[in-house]
Coordinates of all heavy atoms in Angstrom, one line a residue:
N1 N 302.6 138.1 135.7 CA 303.5 138.3 136.8 C 302.8 139.1 137.9 O 302.0 140.0 137.6 CB 304.7 139.0 136.3 CG 305.8 138.9 137.3 OD1 305.9 139.6 138.3 ND2 306.8 138.0 137.0
Y2 N 303.1 138.8 139.1 CA 302.6 139.5 140.3 C 302.7 141.0 140.2 O 301.8 141.7 140.6 CB 303.2 139.0 141.6 CG 302.6 137.7 142.2 CD1 301.9 136.8 141.4 CD2 302.8 137.5 143.6 CE1 301.4 135.7 142.0 CE2 302.3 136.4 144.1 CZ 301.6 135.4 143.4 OH 301.1 134.3 144.0
V3 N 303.8 141.4 139.6 CA 304.1 142.9 139.6 C 303.1 143.6 138.6 O 303.0 144.9 138.7 CB 305.5 143.2 139.2 CG1 306.5 142.5 140.1 CG2 305.8 142.8 137.7
L4 N 302.4 142.9 137.8 CA 301.4 143.4 136.9 C 300.0 143.4 137.3 O 299.0 143.9 136.7 CB 301.5 142.7 135.5 CG 302.9 142.7 134.8 CD1 302.8 141.9 133.5 CD2 303.3 144.2 134.5
L5 N 299.8 142.8 138.5 CA 298.4 142.5 138.9 C 297.7 143.7 139.4 O 298.4 144.7 139.9 CB 298.4 141.5 140.1 CG 299.0 140.1 139.8 CD1 298.9 139.2 141.1 CD2 298.3 139.5 138.6
S6 N 296.4 143.8 139.2 CA 295.6 144.9 139.8 C 295.6 144.7 141.3 O 295.9 143.6 141.8 CB 294.2 144.9 139.2 OG 293.5 143.7 139.6
N7 N 295.1 145.7 142.0 CA 294.9 145.6 143.5 C 294.0 144.4 143.8 O 294.1 143.7 144.8 CB 294.4 146.9 144.1 CG 295.5 147.9 144.1 OD1 296.7 147.6 144.1 ND2 295.2 149.2 144.1
Q8 N 292.9 144.3 143.0 CA 291.9 143.3 143.2 C 292.5 141.9 143.1 O 292.3 141.0 143.9 CB 290.7 143.4 142.3 CG 289.6 142.4 142.5 CD 288.4 142.6 141.6 OE1 288.4 143.5 140.8 NE2 287.5 141.7 141.6
E9 N 293.4 141.7 142.1 CA 294.0 140.5 141.8 C 295.0 140.1 142.9 O 295.2 139.0 143.3 CB 294.7 140.5 140.4 CG 293.8 140.4 139.3 CD 294.4 140.7 137.9 OE1 295.5 141.4 137.9 OE2 293.9 140.1 137.0
K10 N 295.7 141.2 143.4 CA 296.7 140.9 144.5 C 296.0 140.4 145.8 O 296.5 139.5 146.4 CB 297.4 142.2 144.8 CG 298.4 142.6 143.7 CD 299.0 144.0 144.0 CE 299.9 144.5 142.8 NZ 300.5 145.8 143.1
K11 N 294.8 141.0 146.0 CA 294.1 140.6 147.2 C 293.5 139.2 147.0 O 293.5 138.4 148.0 CB 292.9 141.6 147.5 CG 293.4 143.0 147.9 CD 292.2 143.9 148.1 CE 292.7 145.3 148.5 NZ 291.5 146.3 148.6
M12 N 293.1 138.9 145.8 CA 292.5 137.6 145.5 C 293.5 136.5 145.7 O 293.3 135.5 146.4 CB 292.0 137.5 144.1 CG 291.5 136.2 143.6 SD 291.1 136.2 141.8 CE 292.7 136.5 141.1
I13 N 294.7 136.6 145.2 CA 295.7 135.6 145.3 C 296.3 135.5 146.7 O 296.7 134.4 147.1 CB 296.9 135.8 144.3 CG1 297.6 134.5 143.9 CG2 297.9 136.8 144.8 CD1 298.3 134.4 142.6
L14 N 296.3 136.5 147.5 CA 296.6 136.5 148.9 C 295.6 135.7 149.7 O 295.9 134.8 150.5 CB 296.7 137.9 149.5 CG 297.0 137.9 151.0 CD1 298.3 137.3 151.3 CD2 296.9 139.4 151.5
E15 N 294.3 135.8 149.4 CA 293.3 135.1 150.0 C 293.4 133.5 149.7 O 293.3 132.7 150.6 CB 291.9 135.5 149.6 CG 291.5 136.9 150.1 CD 290.1 137.4 149.5 OE1 289.5 136.6 148.7 OE2 289.7 138.5 149.8
W16 N 293.8 133.3 148.5 CA 294.0 131.8 148.1 C 295.2 131.3 148.9 O 295.1 130.2 149.5 CB 294.3 131.7 146.6 CG 293.2 132.0 145.7 CD1 291.9 132.3 146.0 CD2 293.3 132.2 144.3 NE1 291.2 132.5 144.9 CE2 292.0 132.5 143.9 CE3 294.3 132.1 143.4 CZ2 291.8 132.7 142.5 CZ3 294.1 132.3 142.1 CH2 292.8 132.6 141.6
R17 N 296.3 132.0 149.0 CA 297.5 131.6 149.6 C 297.2 131.4 151.2 O 297.8 130.5 151.8 CB 298.6 132.6 149.4 CG 300.0 132.2 150.0 CD 300.1 132.7 151.4 NE 301.3 132.1 152.1 CZ 301.3 131.8 153.4 NH1 300.3 132.1 154.1 NH2 302.4 131.3 153.9
N18 N 296.4 132.3 151.7 CA 296.2 132.2 153.2 C 295.1 131.2 153.6 O 295.0 130.9 154.7 CB 295.7 133.6 153.7 CG 296.8 134.6 153.9 OD1 298.0 134.1 154.1 ND2 296.5 135.9 153.9
H19 N 294.4 130.7 152.6 CA 293.5 129.7 152.9 C 294.1 128.4 153.5 O 295.2 128.0 153.0 CB 292.7 129.3 151.6 CG 291.4 128.5 151.8 ND1 291.5 127.1 152.1 CD2 290.1 128.8 151.7 CE1 290.2 126.7 152.2 NE2 289.4 127.7 152.0
T20 N 293.4 127.8 154.5 CA 294.1 126.7 155.1 C 294.4 125.5 154.2 O 295.4 124.8 154.5 CB 293.2 126.2 156.3 OG1 293.8 125.1 157.0 CG2 291.8 125.7 155.7
N21 N 293.7 125.4 153.2 CA 294.0 124.3 152.2 C 295.3 124.4 151.5 O 295.9 123.4 151.1 CB 292.9 124.2 151.1 CG 291.6 123.6 151.6 OD1 291.4 123.3 152.8 ND2 290.6 123.5 150.7
N22 N 295.8 125.7 151.4 CA 297.1 125.9 150.8 C 298.2 126.2 151.8 O 299.2 125.5 151.7 CB 296.9 127.1 149.8 CG 296.2 126.8 148.6 OD1 296.2 125.7 148.0 ND2 295.3 127.7 148.1
R23 N 298.0 127.0 152.8 CA 299.1 127.4 153.6 C 299.5 126.2 154.5 O 300.7 126.2 155.0 CB 298.8 128.6 154.4 CG 297.6 128.5 155.4 CD 297.4 129.9 156.1 NE 296.2 129.9 156.9 CZ 296.2 129.6 158.1 NH1 297.3 129.1 158.7 NH2 295.0 129.6 158.8
K24 N 298.7 125.2 154.8 CA 299.0 124.1 155.6 C 300.2 123.3 155.0 O 300.8 122.5 155.7 CB 297.9 123.2 155.9 CG 297.3 122.4 154.7 CD 296.1 121.6 155.1 CE 295.5 120.8 153.9 NZ 294.4 120.0 154.3
W25 N 300.5 123.4 153.7 CA 301.5 122.7 153.0 C 302.8 123.5 152.8 O 303.7 123.0 152.2 CB 301.0 122.1 151.7 CG 299.8 121.2 151.8 CD1 298.6 121.4 151.1 CD2 299.6 120.1 152.6 NE1 297.7 120.4 151.4 CE2 298.3 119.6 152.4 CE3 300.4 119.3 153.5 CZ2 297.8 118.4 152.9 CZ3 299.9 118.2 154.1 CH2 298.6 117.7 153.8
M26 N 302.8 124.7 153.3 CA 303.9 125.6 153.0 C 304.9 125.7 154.2 O 304.5 125.4 155.3 CB 303.4 127.0 152.7 CG 302.4 127.0 151.5 SD 301.9 128.7 151.1 CE 301.0 128.4 149.6
F27 N 306.1 126.1 153.9 CA 307.1 126.3 154.9 C 306.6 127.4 155.9 O 306.8 127.2 157.1 CB 308.4 126.8 154.4 CG 309.2 125.6 153.7 CD1 309.4 125.6 152.4 CD2 309.8 124.6 154.5 CE1 310.1 124.5 151.8 CE2 310.5 123.6 154.0 CZ 310.7 123.5 152.6
N28 N 306.1 128.5 155.4 CA 305.5 129.5 156.3 C 304.0 129.4 156.3 O 303.3 129.6 155.3 CB 305.9 130.9 155.6 CG 305.3 132.1 156.5 OD1 304.8 131.9 157.6 ND2 305.3 133.3 155.9
Q29 N 303.5 128.9 157.4 CA 302.1 128.6 157.5 C 301.4 129.7 158.2 O 300.1 129.6 158.5 CB 301.9 127.3 158.3 CG 302.5 126.1 157.6 CD 302.2 124.7 158.2 OE1 301.6 124.7 159.3 NE2 302.6 123.6 157.6
N30 N 302.0 130.8 158.5 CA 301.4 132.0 159.0 C 300.5 132.6 158.0 O 300.8 132.6 156.8 CB 302.4 133.0 159.6 CG 303.2 132.3 160.7 OD1 302.7 131.7 161.5 ND2 304.5 132.6 160.7
I31 N 299.5 133.3 158.5 CA 298.6 134.1 157.6 C 299.4 135.4 157.3 O 299.9 136.1 158.2 CB 297.3 134.5 158.3 CG1 296.4 133.2 158.4 CG2 296.5 135.6 157.5 CD1 295.1 133.5 159.1
I32 N 299.5 135.7 156.0 CA 300.3 136.9 155.6 C 299.3 138.1 155.5 O 298.2 138.0 154.9 CB 300.9 136.6 154.2 CG1 302.0 135.5 154.3 CG2 301.5 137.9 153.6 CD1 302.6 135.1 153.0
L33 N 299.8 139.2 156.1 CA 298.9 140.4 156.1 C 299.0 141.1 154.8 O 300.0 141.0 154.1 CB 299.4 141.4 157.2 CG 299.3 140.8 158.7 CD1 299.8 141.8 159.7 CD2 297.9 140.4 159.0
L34 N 298.0 141.9 154.4 CA 297.9 142.5 153.1 C 299.1 143.4 152.9 O 299.7 143.4 151.8 CB 296.6 143.3 152.9 CG 296.5 144.0 151.7 CD1 296.5 143.1 150.4 CD2 295.1 144.8 151.6
D35 N 299.5 144.2 153.9 CA 300.6 145.2 153.7 C 301.8 144.4 153.4 O 302.7 144.9 152.6 CB 300.7 146.1 155.0 CG 299.7 147.2 155.0 OD1 299.0 147.4 154.0 OD2 299.5 147.8 156.1
N36 N 302.1 143.3 154.1 CA 303.3 142.5 153.9 C 303.3 142.0 152.5 O 304.3 141.9 151.8 CB 303.4 141.4 154.9 CG 303.7 142.0 156.3 OD1 304.2 143.1 156.5 ND2 303.4 141.3 157.3
H37 N 302.1 141.5 152.0 CA 302.0 140.9 150.7 C 302.3 142.0 149.7 O 303.0 141.7 148.7 CB 300.5 140.4 150.6 CG 300.2 139.9 149.2 ND1 300.8 138.8 148.7 CD2 299.2 140.3 148.3 CE1 300.2 138.5 147.5 NE2 299.3 139.4 147.3
L38 N 301.7 143.2 149.8 CA 302.0 144.2 148.8 C 303.5 144.6 148.8 O 304.0 144.9 147.8 CB 301.1 145.4 149.1 CG 299.6 145.2 149.0 CD1 298.8 146.4 149.4 CD2 299.2 144.7 147.6
N39 N 304.1 144.7 150.0 CA 305.5 145.0 150.0 C 306.4 143.9 149.4 O 307.3 144.2 148.7 CB 306.0 145.2 151.5 CG 305.4 146.5 152.1 OD1 305.1 147.4 151.4 ND2 305.3 146.5 153.4
F40 N 305.9 142.7 149.6 CA 306.7 141.6 149.0 C 306.6 141.7 147.4 O 307.6 141.5 146.7 CB 306.1 140.2 149.4 CG 306.6 139.1 148.7 CD1 307.8 138.6 148.8 CD2 305.8 138.4 147.7 CE1 308.3 137.4 148.2 CE2 306.2 137.3 147.0 CZ 307.5 136.8 147.2
I41 N 305.4 142.0 146.9 CA 305.2 142.1 145.5 C 306.1 143.2 145.0 O 306.8 143.1 143.9 CB 303.8 142.3 145.1 CG1 303.0 141.0 145.4 CG2 303.6 142.7 143.6 CD1 301.5 141.1 145.1
E42 N 306.2 144.3 145.7 CA 307.0 145.5 145.2 C 308.5 145.0 145.2 O 309.2 145.5 144.3 CB 306.8 146.6 146.2 CG 307.4 147.9 145.8 CD 306.8 148.5 144.5 OE1 305.7 148.2 144.2 OE2 307.6 149.3 143.9
S43 N 308.9 144.2 146.2 CA 310.3 143.8 146.2 C 310.6 142.9 145.0 O 311.8 142.8 144.7 CB 310.6 143.1 147.5 OG 310.0 141.8 147.6
L44 N 309.7 142.2 144.5 CA 309.9 141.3 143.3 C 310.5 142.0 142.1 O 311.1 141.5 141.3 CB 308.6 140.5 143.0 CG 308.2 139.4 144.0 CD1 306.9 138.8 143.5 CD2 309.3 138.4 144.1

């Protein structure tokens, strides 16, 4: 689960999500900033 990830793992999966190969197929195609990503995981 995302809430168990290390900081390195959180950054890694954000890089994958932000890669154009992945985000071009998503509803939200904007690049997500690290702080927003970390806040999202905390909200989970």
